[in-house]
Each structure stands twice: as structure tokens, then as C-alpha cells.
Amino acid sequence: MGPETGTDTGTGRPDTRARIRDAAGTLFRRHGYSATGLKRVAAEAQAPFGSIYHFFPGGKQQLAEDMIRTTGPAYGRMVLALLDSVPDPAESLVHAFDAAATDLAAADYADACPIGTVALEVASSNEVLRTATAGVFEEWVEAAAGWFTRWVPDPEAARSLAYSLVMMLEGAFMLSRATRDPEPLRVAGRTMAHLLRTTLAEPGAPASD
């Protein structure tokens, strides 16, 4: 077994813990918490079954919590990077949602939000995982609010837009997966752009750069 971070010695492959985490992330994202067994995680990770308990002594719940607390923030950073890739804020919202639509369709509607599937499932059944998902969602809202304050100095308005962004993204992912149609994501992006433009057009709002 290789070190806990980096790559397995001499192979260039992701280390055992990273492979387990990546496999669990994919399976939890696609199939949910209850439908994902640890034997399948081990098989997908090409790792000995016992290595899961070596790295995650708490078993499936600890592995899921680790997945939530690592992939969630990473996904948030990726979304912010997409938003920063287009100078105009309204256009950047359209761009980010269009990119999500394209990626979802390319993944045959299997890979969407890394924590959304689990979040819905555990909201009323597992307090540890509910708390973890709630924490990630709050991080996303805070980060998005910070992004919106570049153009919307009113903290309340910026936070409202941030909530709308997260809600639009999560809801659109669900609808796009259910209908196997990327259009809900594209509509959500245009709606977010409209919300931002409307906010910027309100009396007293500064002009967008």
C-alpha cells in the first residue's frame, strides 16, 4: 500500500486512499448513499476491501463524509473559476450553466453535482452526513456571495443572488437528469443572468463594469 497522499510508489498511479475516495465520489454521486456498497467501492478503486477500513475506520459513513467535505469544496472552486473566466458577470453566469449542461450531457446525465444526490437522500436520515452537506452548501453560498459583491455592494442582495445561484444549479441538475435534457441548466443560467441584471438596474445600484 502506498502513502496516504500522492501516488503509489513506483507506479505513477493515484495512491490507494485517493483511488478509494475517487471511486466513492463517483458511485455516491451517481447512485446515492444507500445503493453504494463498500465492496463495489473497493472493486472500482482496484483496492483491497480491507484498505477502506484502514483509511476510513468509520466505514461507509466516514468515507461518505470525507467525500462530501473534499469534493464539495473542490466543485465550488471549479464553479468560481468558470465564473471568473468571462469578464461580464451576467454573461459569465450563462457561460457557467452552459458548461454544466454540456458536461452533464457528455456524461450521459450521470455526473452532476458531487453531493446533490447524497444530500437529498440523507437530509432526514443521517445527521452526520446532513451536517456535512449543509456545511458545503453554506460554503458555496458564502463564496458566491463574495463573488457577487464585486458588482452588488449590498450584502443582503449579494447573498440572495448567491442562494439563487445554488438553488438554480441544484434544481436544474435534478430536472436535467430526470428529463435527460440539458435545457433546464441553460434556462437556469439565463434566469440567473436576468436576476443579476435586474439587481444592477435597481435604483442606487452601481453600473456594471
Side-chain angles (χ1 to χ4, degrees):
M1 185 174 296
E4 292 194 11
T5 59
T7 56
D8 285 337
T9 304
T11 68
R13 298 174 66 204
D15 67 57
T16 305
R17 179 171 184 158
R19 295 202 311 274
I20 292 170
R21 177 184 284 157
D22 289 346
T26 298
L27 292 170
F28 286 137
R29 180 173 65 247
R30 294 182 176 181
H31 307 295
Y33 181 69
S34 298
T36 299
L38 291 184
K39 287 184 179 179
R40 187 172 181 184
V41 172
E44 291 289 331
Q46 298 183 323
F49 180 77
S51 63
I52 294 179
Y53 287 95
H54 173 76
F55 292 113
F56 304 97
K60 184 176 175 179
Q61 178 174 279
Q62 184 182 358
L63 178 57
E65 184 180 12
D66 177 86
M67 179 277 296
I68 291 164
R69 296 190 184 279
T70 53
T71 63
Y75 186 76
R77 291 191 293 271
M78 184 191 73
V79 171
L80 285 178
L82 273 174
L83 292 174
D84 283 338
S85 68
V86 177
D88 180 85
E91 290 178 6
S92 74
L93 289 164
V94 173
H95 169 71
F97 277 84
D98 281 352
T102 299
D103 289 346
L104 184 62
D108 198 27
Y109 299 93
D111 292 327
C113 170
I115 68 168
T117 302
V118 173
L120 285 173
E121 182 181 352
V122 305
S124 301
S125 61
N126 188 310
E127 184 62 12
V128 170
L129 299 184
R130 183 203 67 77
T131 300
T133 57
V136 170
F137 284 133
E138 183 58 27
E139 286 180 20
W140 289 356
V141 170
E142 290 294 333
W147 184 82
F148 280 114
T149 56
R150 300 180 195 175
W151 301 276
V152 183
D154 178 4
E156 268 190 43
R159 189 170 179 82
S160 178
L161 286 166
Y163 271 122
S164 296
L165 173 60
V166 175
M167 292 186 295
M168 288 278 191
L169 185 61
E170 292 301 310
F173 269 138
M174 184 184 302
L175 189 55
S176 285
R177 291 185 74 187
T179 60
R180 297 183 68 80
D181 185 350
E183 188 61 15
L185 279 161
R186 301 189 193 284
V187 171
R190 295 194 295 269
T191 302
M192 276 306 308
H194 176 73
L195 283 175
L196 177 58
R197 290 185 179 115
T198 299
T199 300
L200 292 174
E202 289 174 354
S208 177
D209 291 337

